[in-house]
Amino acid sequence: MIDPNRPASLNMKLLAHHTLDGFGGMGEGVAIQCLPQGRRVLWIAHENAPKNFTAVDVTEPRSPRVLVQTELPHASMRSNSLDVSGNLLAVAYQVSTPGLAPAGFELFDISVPERPRSIAMFDASAPHSRGCHALWFVDGKTVHMTCGDPAQRPRNAKDDQIYRIVDVSDPPRPRARGSWHLPGTMENDDAPPPTRLAAPFDSGFRAHNTNVYPDRPDRCYMGYIDGGAIILDIADLDRPKLVTRWRNSPPFNGFTHTALPLFGRGLVVVSDECVMDDGADWPKLVWVLDGRDERNLVNLATLPAPPVDAFKRRGGRFGAHNLHENPPVPGAWKSEDIVVGTFFNAGVRAYDITDPFAPREIAYYVPPAPAGTPVGAVQLNDLFVDDRAVLYTVDRHTGGLYVLETNF
């Protein structure tokens, strides 16, 4: 039996824990900035107001130090996601009620991390837009994101965030390029509306993570929530085209979050996010797909689930969420044999997929319930692994930042 008041670990060791000055509710954006003289800064998005983002000096991972915390423009928004490219930071802004502004993303100059300087705002506010939920920005030129589009009106309000591409090669003047949505979800579409999942599992047909890698710059690997995992041809940034769509829901309960390609292996790893407490939408798993023929993704295995009886009703959410996505940036750890992900109250876990038909769990860390948490358990929300094999993971509520030494 796992004691919820004591940490549980295998091949991971806690180096440091920082509550981020009491503002510990963290979102899905964790990115690293590598500066001269070996200095490293971790940038973290917040789950809700009043904080926007926090910068933490992790040059010495045993002694993380907050450099700056910024405020959101108003309380009815969240900066759930961010990404770093060089000395540029892109931060997603999503509002609680369609029509509020700003809603989109903001670019910052972070060449002096202690003093982030706003460069530009890309505004996507509209009567039917909540703005940007998640973004990907690794090349210094292009933001790929899930965001409302003022030019499109969803047939169902749950389908409001689509895949959008924004050119930021001239940072002060962001320029919208192409977009893509699941046919049938917008007014004036020729296709009929898609069949929805049964209540209460209908979370909408909209984009989530939108990953583009220099290994395949003409492809976007996207989780599309109840629409499954999608690969798009983006050779023409103004006209994305569907390549393939893989779905497991129904019979599963939707919310495909991330599609992570492993190019050297011909694999795609797909995570489904748990969005309900106490296992109400269980199972939420991580799938290993054969991606050698991108037109026909085939499931080979799922990562072994954490012990259901130990965690399902421990408090808060239990199931898969974010993956370390092998970000193609300086300072990031990359592997095509080991997959690392967060599982809310089941902590952070690592798996060896050398044999993609038989993945093995090789490491985990589950912190005790943080002080003041409203759900009675940790809720590890996102993670980043650096090229020193140091793992950073954040709690959704009050736990803040955990810095871990890994041995896998």
Side-chain angles (χ1 to χ4, degrees), residues 302-380:
T302 57
L303 302 188
V308 177
D309 292 342
F311 291 103
K312 186 175 181 180
R313 298 193 182 280
R314 188 177 182 183
R317 299 183 184 189
F318 164 58
H321 190 203
N322 270 299
L323 304 176
H324 177 72
E325 296 163 290
N326 288 342
V329 296
W333 176 81
K334 304 172 185 67
S335 176
E336 297 209 335
D337 295 320
I338 297 173
V339 175
V340 192
T342 50
F343 290 79
F344 292 114
N345 68 13
V348 60
R349 293 173 178 264
Y351 300 86
D352 186 328
I353 61 165
T354 303
D355 180 351
F357 295 95
R360 297 182 299 112
E361 185 175 72
I362 57 172
Y364 58 79
Y365 184 83
V366 185
T373 181
V375 296
V378 75
Q379 295 282 273
L380 292 190

Side-chain angles (χ1 to χ4, degrees), residues 38-337:
R39 189 180 181 205
R40 294 178 179 229
V41 176
L42 197 71
W43 296 86
I44 315 172
H46 282 258
E47 179 76 12
N48 44 48
K51 297 301 179 183
N52 188 354
F53 54 83
T54 295
V56 182
D57 190 314
V58 292
T59 308
E60 172 45 67
R62 289 173 177 81
S63 303
R65 181 170 56 91
V66 170
L67 299 177
V68 67
Q69 286 186 324
T70 63
E71 304 288 323
L72 284 166
H74 57 78
S76 296
M77 64 187 302
R78 60 192 284 201
S79 53
N80 180 70
S81 174
L82 58 74
D83 219 342
V84 168
S85 180
N87 288 329
L88 289 176
L89 169 69
V91 181
Y93 291 152
Q94 176 177 296
V95 293
S96 59
T97 303
L100 296 178
F105 71 85
E106 189 169 7
L107 279 180
F108 293 86
D109 179 333
I110 54 171
S111 53
V112 180
E114 295 83 355
R115 296 190 295 276
R117 180 175 61 86
S118 178
I119 299 173
M121 173 73 71
F122 181 86
D123 186 29
S125 58
H128 47 273
S129 170
R130 292 180 296 150
C132 179
H133 183 74
L135 56 77
W136 175 268
F137 176 52
V138 299
D139 67 354
K141 299 183 295 185
T142 315
V143 171
H144 303 268
M145 63 178 177
T146 173
C147 189
D149 184 350
Q152 299 279 0
R153 184 178 293 273
R155 289 171 170 169
N156 185 305
K158 292 182 178 181
D159 306 338
D160 60 334
Q161 291 169 326
I162 68 173
Y163 172 52
R164 299 190 64 190
I165 304 169
V166 181
D167 183 339
V168 294
S169 55
D170 181 6
R173 285 168 281 277
R175 180 170 65 92
R177 299 288 299 269
S179 65
W180 186 91
H181 64 268
L182 189 70
T185 57
M186 296 292 155
E187 290 185 1
N188 301 320
D189 281 0
D190 293 332
T195 301
R196 312 192 75 83
L197 295 187
F201 305 115
D202 175 8
S203 292
F205 295 97
R206 62 186 191 275
H208 202 284
N209 283 20
T210 52
N211 296 5
V212 178
Y213 294 84
D215 304 69
R216 289 297 306 274
D218 61 341
R219 291 291 185 268
C220 175
Y221 295 84
M222 179 165 55
Y224 210 80
I225 303 190
D226 291 352
I230 286 174
I231 301 176
L232 296 178
D233 180 338
I234 59 167
D236 183 345
L237 292 178
D238 294 311
R239 296 174 180 81
K241 298 182 295 185
L242 180 66
V243 175
T244 197
R245 178 183 175 206
W246 179 83
R247 291 188 73 191
N248 56 17
S249 304
F252 287 85
N253 295 324
F255 221 103
T256 300
H257 186 283
T258 300
L260 165 63
L262 303 177
F263 297 104
R265 303 283 309 280
L267 300 173
V268 181
V269 180
V270 175
S271 70
D272 292 338
E273 180 184 355
C274 166
V275 295
M276 297 182 180
D277 289 349
D278 298 322
D281 57 348
W282 176 259
K284 288 301 179 76
L285 304 171
V286 180
W287 308 75
V288 181
L289 309 183
D290 187 323
R292 291 174 296 171
D293 183 345
E294 64 180 6
R295 299 163 300 177
N296 184 34
L297 303 179
V298 177
N299 184 52
L300 303 178
T302 57
L303 302 188
V308 177
D309 292 342
F311 291 103
K312 186 175 181 180
R313 298 193 182 280
R314 188 177 182 183
R317 299 183 184 189
F318 164 58
H321 190 203
N322 270 299
L323 304 176
H324 177 72
E325 296 163 290
N326 288 342
V329 296
W333 176 81
K334 304 172 185 67
S335 176
E336 297 209 335
D337 295 320

